[in-house]
Structure formats: structure tokens, C-alpha cells
DNA sequence: TTGTACGCGTTATCAG
DNA sequence: CTGATAACGCGTACAA
């Protein structure tokens, strides 16, 4: 396994075909009519013989766009997020583009590092799947098309957003919960630094209060968007043999953590304690038939994201894209 | 949202600092001692003022390596795979590199498309997380460092492989199963086009036969590596009220599908029917406490992958890396 | 210590 | 229709 062969360049192809590099370039970019059939076939043969592929770096340097996008995802552990990423990746691939993947892990410092990397790479666009507010984000906003998916950043109101109406969804879910449960209800929200988590918590509380079933302060916990954190909150919530008829979580990951704790305590789900989540992780139908949740349309997210990115490239103004959601009540 | 500001280049920084681009370049690459403190501070100030980031495309074109890697993953739906991808991505990021993500979706045509894209992008290395045999794979093998993770491709024996001894693991798991179950056993293997799936099935059958408990042909199904396919196989396996004491699956995804069918049939897991998988998807401890499986060390995969890639870059010869596994018997 | 100039692989312009 | 050449942003050998 010695040193790798240097990749063949357009120059070598030109020499092999006995033509100028300009002609090779023309053949590659299939400028029909601008090159004689004889030359074309000679070049094509040389390309095939040398197994040549145009060097993308040269193309990128010459042109101004490099056909590469960046996706910064806040948790690749979350199957809902990775589904969105994959849907977008596959659409980008369809059009010959590629996607750089970065995981911010819901950590501002890590996100800064990712964004610096993104900036120096001159990507054609950036998809932020749950962004945190941070300086580099503002730097990018001015110079590269960017889209916020699933979570908006209030300090950058002009960056296009794609998501659902989290507050309404939470309120609707709250109504369904009240209809189903007479007993006490607990709330394990996501981090209130996230606009999405805030909207959801706000929706839940507003509706519970409006229906005269306010949730006591000690029955509300703030978790991170992880199973581990959901578990920890459930431990606190369910200590001293305290029990709830329903535990409402800020997202499905939190709900999984809560589920685990309930299982450990021998609670029967959903009879003794029902668990509610948010997102509808695609795995739920296979592994979490006990979970009630709100289905966020991840495929439509991807389609909208691609469409908005196209508009941004054309220089069109783009407002927020609010997509419909569905309640998933598995009972 | 008009046209984006053109990104600032090294030239503008030079002008702003009143020095030549060479000096700016030297500051960036922190060639200590080759530049006077006065110039250094002036340049650093200009960089900060203009919020300049070096254009990676220029760097990549100039140097020969571009610090970008490609990861081709066979199913981003599979949490085990995406965990490996994320572990590698995070290590690459630590060293200022980035990762292009491609999803082959276990589809040869799609993989070809991904690999063409990879080739034209002149990446510094390619991680194949479950590769299929295909022409572009051979083209890449000759010109770019590549690593097979979790599945080797027999026609490319010289490409470094990182994985476990699947056959031994299957045999060991088979022994544990026989010890636990007197009744009949079914097998839902992965696709036999995959060397990994072949090794696992082979290990299971060999051990079951060696212990005089061979599995009947009609109790063996070949699934794809998906929940849907696992489900379909379970439907076939469990028709006519036929029942098994244990169903052994080629990977965890298949097991999830089997689980769903068992649930639908009202079978109690694991009392009536135990389910065995392979990989130990990190979600299992949260969502699938009923699943027995083989833990494949995904974090060690990532470490080994980075290490092997480094060696490849140095031109060292690298053999296969076989890592240890663990049985996870949750009972 | 600093600056000038070349080349990396392309594409596009312009002359022939 | 074809070929020579400038330009893209950067690093570096070489000259000053």
C-alpha cells in the first residue's frame, strides 16, 4: 500500500488525446456543437482510458459555487433529526451536490467550532437543524444562505425558518391529554434557551391553566434534549412514591428517558402512567408503541428546506415556512 | 435578502493591514519567528476586523490534501451506524477536518452515485460503513485511502478492514441461546450478499449443528437489514400459529421488526419467545430492554478508523483490525 | 523580515 | 472549431 497515484488532471487527458485542455473542458461540460465529433471521441476515449474525473477543487476555485452544503445537527443521536438530515442529503445527492455533516451536540462551543469550519469551506448553503445563538452564526448569516430548521433563533429573525407551530401543537396535545386523564400531570420540558422548547412548554401551560388544571411548579422539570436528562428528571419527579397520571415531555428523547425510569419503578405504561412526547421519532412505531406524541413532518421539512435554499440562491425573499403536524395518540 | 457579500480574501486582509499577502499567509499558518511582532499584530487585527477565514478551496488547491473525508453509510436509519459516523465525525472535527456524509441505503446503484461524487471531490480518505461491491469502489481503492468498517468486501482484500469476528461472536451467542432455550429456534439472517451477514449466519448454524440442535430450513429466513424486512420475515415465520422459543436475528434492526410482529400476535417477550439481535444499538438500553444481542464496540471502531487512516496517509501497510465484542444478555 | 511571482486544476474569454 | 491565457485564493521558493 504505497503512496497513492496522483489523480489524473485535465492536462494529462489533453496530452493523451492530443488536444488542448480547453477542448477537454468543453467536452466535459458537454458544450454541444462547440467541439468536433472527432475531437470529442478522442477526448472521451482518453477520459475513459485514464479513468479521469474532473477535480472538483479546481472547478470550485474557478466558479464561485462549489455545490457543497453544510448540515449542522444538534444531536445525531436523535433519530428524528438524523431522518431530516438524511432526507436532505438524499435530495442534495439527486442534484449532484454533497453535504458536509457537523454535529454541534447542543453545545455552543462545539457549534462555534463547526461554524468556523463551515465558513472557511465556502459552502453553498447551511442547514441549521436546531441552532444555538452564537457569534459565528451571525457571521454566516451575512455571507452564506442559511436556513433554520425546527428551531428559530430570535436574534436572527430574517433567516428563513422551517418548522411547525409548536405552541399550537402543544395546546392541542394538552387538550387531548386532559380529556384522557383525570389525575395529576407532570411536565418535563426541553431547555428554555431553545425557542422551540419554550413554545411547547408555553403551549402546554397555557392550555392546562385555561382548562383549570394548572400544573404545580414542583411537577415541572427542565431537561436537556436527551434520554439521559429525561431519565434524571423522572428520577426527581417520581421520588417519594409520588405518581402522575401523565408525564408530558418536551420531545421524544426525553420521553424515552422517562419511560426507562417508569419501567424501573414497575409502573405500567400507559395504564398507571401515560407518557407524552413530541416529534414522533420514526422508530416509535417499532419500539415505542406506548408513546403518544406529535408527528412533525420530517420529509416535508426536507422538501421545504431544499425549496427555500433554491429561492435563497435566486435572491428571492423568503419568509418562515410553517408546516402542519399531527397528533399521534397510540393509547 | 439580496445577493450575499463576497467573502473576504487574503488580499483584502493584506491591504487592510498594509502588508503583502505572503505575510498574512505566514501569520495564518503561524510560522513563528518568520514574521515581526508588529506585522503580526497588524495582520491579526485586520483578520479580526474583517472577520476573515481562510478560503479552504484555495488552500486545498495549493496544498495537495484538502482535509475533507467522505463517509458512506449503508443506512442512516440504523442508530448503530449513525453512532459510528458521529464518533468519527467528532474526531475529524477535533483535528480541523470535515466529513462529507453519503447514504448508500444499501443500494448498489445509489452507492455508485455516491462514490462518483466522492471521486470528483478529491477527498483525503473514504470510510465505507458497510460497503457493497461495485466498480467505483475499485476505482477509489487505487487512488484514495479507504477503510471498510464492519463489513469487508472480499474482492478488495487489501483495503484495511475494521470489525469484529462475526463468526465467533455468532457461535458464542448460539451457545448462550442453547443453554437458555429447550424449544425450537428460528433464524432471520441478513442478506447473504454481505460478508458480515454470511459470517454471522454461518456461525449460528455451525454451532447449532455442532450441538445437535440444527435449525430446520423452513425456520431460516433471509431479511434485508431493515425493520420492515424483519417484520415481513416474522410474519412468514410465525404464520399457522407456529411458535419459536427463540428468534435469532442478523442485526438489531431486523430484531425490532420481529419484535413488532410478536407484539401484534400477543406473544410475551421474552417469556414465550425470546429475541436475539446483533450490534447493540445504543438505543437498546432505553427502548429495547427485552433484546439480547452482541455489543459491537462502535467507539473503538471510530478510534481504530482514525488511526488506520493516519497510517494510510503515512504510507504504512495496514492489516485488518479485529476488535473485541461482548454478549449482552438482558433476559 | 518582507515582498514578488509562480503554480495548483478549472472555466471562460478572446484570437486565430 | 480550437488553442493560448487570465483568473480564482492560497502557500512558498526565491529575491530583496
Amino acid at each position: 500500500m504505497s503512496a497513492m497515484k496522483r489523480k489524473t488532471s485535465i492536462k494529462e487527458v489533453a496530452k493523451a488525446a492530443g488536444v488542448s485542455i480547453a477542448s477537454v473542458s468543453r467536452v466535459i461540460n458537454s458544450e454541444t456543437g462547440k467541439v468536433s465529433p472527432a475531437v470529442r471521441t478522442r477526448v472521451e476515449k482518453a477520459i475513459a482510458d485514464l479513468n479521469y474525473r474532473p477535480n472538483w477543487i479546481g472547478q470550485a476555485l474557478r466558479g464561485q459555487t462549489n455545490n457543497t452544503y453544510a448540515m449542522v445537527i444538534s444531536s445525531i443521536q436523535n433519530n428524528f433529526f438524523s431522518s431530516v438530515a438524511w432526507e436532505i442529503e438524499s435530495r442534495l445527492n439527486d442534484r449532484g451536490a454533497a453535504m458536509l455533516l457537523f454535529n454541534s451536540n447542543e453545545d455552543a462551543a462545539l457549534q462555534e467550532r463547526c461554524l468556523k469550519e463551515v465558513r472557511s469551506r465556502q459552502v453553498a448553503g447551511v442547514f441549521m437543524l436546531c441552532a444555538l445563538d452564537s457569534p459565528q452564526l451571525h457571521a454566516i448569516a451575512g455571507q452564506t444562505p442559511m436556513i433554520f430548521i425546527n428551531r428559530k433563533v430570535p436574534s436572527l429573525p430574517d433567516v428563513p425558518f422551517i418548522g411547525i407551530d409548536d405552541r399550537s401543537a402543544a395546546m392541542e396535545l394538552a387538550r387531548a391529554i386532559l380529556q384522557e386523564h383525570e389525575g395529576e400531570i407532570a411536565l418535563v420540558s426541553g431547555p428554555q434557551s431553545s425557542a422551540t422548547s419554550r413554545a411547547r412548554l408555553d403551549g402546554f401551560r397555557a392550555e392546562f391553566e385555561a382548562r383549570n388544571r394548572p400544573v404545580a411548579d414542583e411537577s415541572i422539570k427542565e431537561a436537556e434534549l436527551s434520554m439521559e436528562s429525561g431519565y434524571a428528571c423522572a428520577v426527581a419527579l417520581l421520588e417519594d412514591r409520588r405518581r402522575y397520571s401523565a408525564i408530558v415531555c418536551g420531545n421524544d428523547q426525553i420521553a424515552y428517558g422517562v419511560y426507562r425510569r417508569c419501567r424501573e419503578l414497575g409502573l405500567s405504561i400507559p395504564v398507571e402512567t401515560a407518557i407524552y412526547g413530541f416529534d414522533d421519532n420514526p422508530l416509535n412505531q417499532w419500539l415505542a408503541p406506548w408513546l403518544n406524541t406529535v408527528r412533525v413532518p420530517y420529509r416535508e421539512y426536507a422538501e421545504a428546506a431544499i425549496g427555500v435554499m433554491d429561492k435563497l440562491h435566486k435572491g428571492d425573499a423568503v419568509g418562515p415556512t410553517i408546516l402542519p403536524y399531527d397528533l399521534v395518540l397510540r393509547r
Side-chain angles (χ1 to χ4, degrees), chain A:
Chain A
M1 174 79 38
S2 65
M4 294 286 156
K5 257 185 323 217
R6 240 193 12 79
K7 287 112 185 166
T8 63
S9 80
I10 196 171
K11 233 181 269 181
E12 307 171 51
V13 176
K15 189 159 48 172
V19 298
S20 75
I21 59 168
S23 294
V24 178
S25 176
R26 280 191 273 263
V27 170
I28 293 169
N29 302 28
S30 62
E31 310 212 9
T32 341
K34 311 282 281 183
V35 56
S36 70
V39 168
R40 175 175 297 278
T41 45
R42 285 229 306 285
V43 170
E44 278 167 349
K45 174 165 175 4
I47 289 180
D49 286 351
L50 297 169
N51 198 2
Y52 166 75
R53 292 241 78 206
N55 182 328
W56 166 85
I57 298 174
Q59 294 182 327
L61 185 59
R62 182 59 177 91
Q64 261 340 356
T65 177
N66 61 22
N67 227 10
T68 300
Y69 293 80
M71 160 79 63
V72 181
I73 187 173
S74 72
S75 166
I76 211 170
Q77 278 274 77
N78 184 330
N79 217 263
F80 168 70
F81 292 159
S82 64
S83 296
V84 176
W86 151 234
E87 290 287 339
I88 289 180
E89 188 267 332
S90 119
R91 283 165 177 76
L92 288 176
N93 246 279
D94 285 342
R95 45 177 73 189
M99 188 180 87
L100 287 163
L101 179 72
F102 296 90
N103 190 334
S104 75
N105 219 21
E106 199 76 40
D107 171 336
L110 210 51
Q111 184 186 283
E112 281 295 280
R113 196 179 72 175
C114 295
L115 293 182
K116 277 185 189 164
E117 206 55 55
V118 168
R119 284 190 60 211
S120 73
R121 269 156 208 277
Q122 317 289 114
V123 298
V126 182
F127 300 97
M128 297 294 307
L129 190 36
C130 288
L132 284 80
D133 200 345
S134 79
Q136 291 293 333
L137 204 60
H138 292 253
I140 286 188
Q143 57 184 22
T144 306
M146 179 164 62
I147 299 176
F148 290 145
I149 303 176
N150 203 50
R151 179 148 104 206
K152 69 180 84 172
V153 173
S155 66
L156 286 165
D158 291 338
V159 173
F161 167 71
I162 293 168
I164 65 166
D165 183 339
D166 288 288
R167 189 166 190 277
S168 293
M171 293 176 71
E172 198 170 319
L173 184 57
R175 282 196 289 280
I177 293 169
L178 290 184
Q179 214 161 342
E180 202 78 21
H181 302 281
E182 303 280 328
E184 214 178 337
I185 292 169
L187 233 35
V188 185
S189 85
Q192 293 303 289
S193 54
S194 150
T196 302
S197 295
R198 275 202 305 278
R200 291 177 184 178
L201 177 58
D202 191 47
F204 287 133
R205 298 182 71 159
E207 191 67 17
F208 286 142
E209 274 168 33
R211 309 251 160 179
N212 274 327
R213 297 271 301 278
V215 178
D217 277 349
E218 70 267 23
S219 299
I220 302 184
K221 300 283 177 196
E222 181 176 334
E224 289 165 31
L225 297 173
S226 70
M227 301 181 282
E228 289 80 0
S229 185
Y231 177 84
C233 288
V235 168
L237 219 44
L238 296 168
E239 70 184 359
D240 297 333
R241 308 196 58 74
R242 189 177 182 96
R243 292 297 175 262
Y244 294 93
S245 166
I247 302 180
V248 186
C249 304
N251 80 352
D252 286 355
Q253 301 291 113
I254 295 175
Y256 300 157
V258 169
Y259 172 69
R260 181 179 186 166
R261 183 56 182 164
C262 290
R263 239 178 33 230
E264 287 177 355
L265 293 173
L267 297 172
S268 99
I269 314 284
V271 180
E272 275 177 279
T273 301
I275 299 181
Y276 291 81
F278 221 109
D279 287 345
D280 199 27
N281 191 318
L283 279 172
N284 288 345
Q285 52 178 316
W286 303 92
L287 290 182
W290 42 266
L291 183 60
N292 310 288
T293 187
V294 174
R295 176 168 302 143
V296 178
Y298 66 92
R299 194 160 288 135
E300 286 77 2
Y301 269 22
E303 258 157 36
I306 296 289
V308 169
M309 191 56 84
D310 284 346
K311 281 190 183 171
L312 251 29
H313 279 152
K314 283 194 299 185
D316 296 1
V318 184
T321 307
I322 307 301
L323 296 167
Y325 56 84
D326 283 305
L327 255 48
V328 179
L329 300 174
R330 296 198 168 86
R331 291 162 218 265

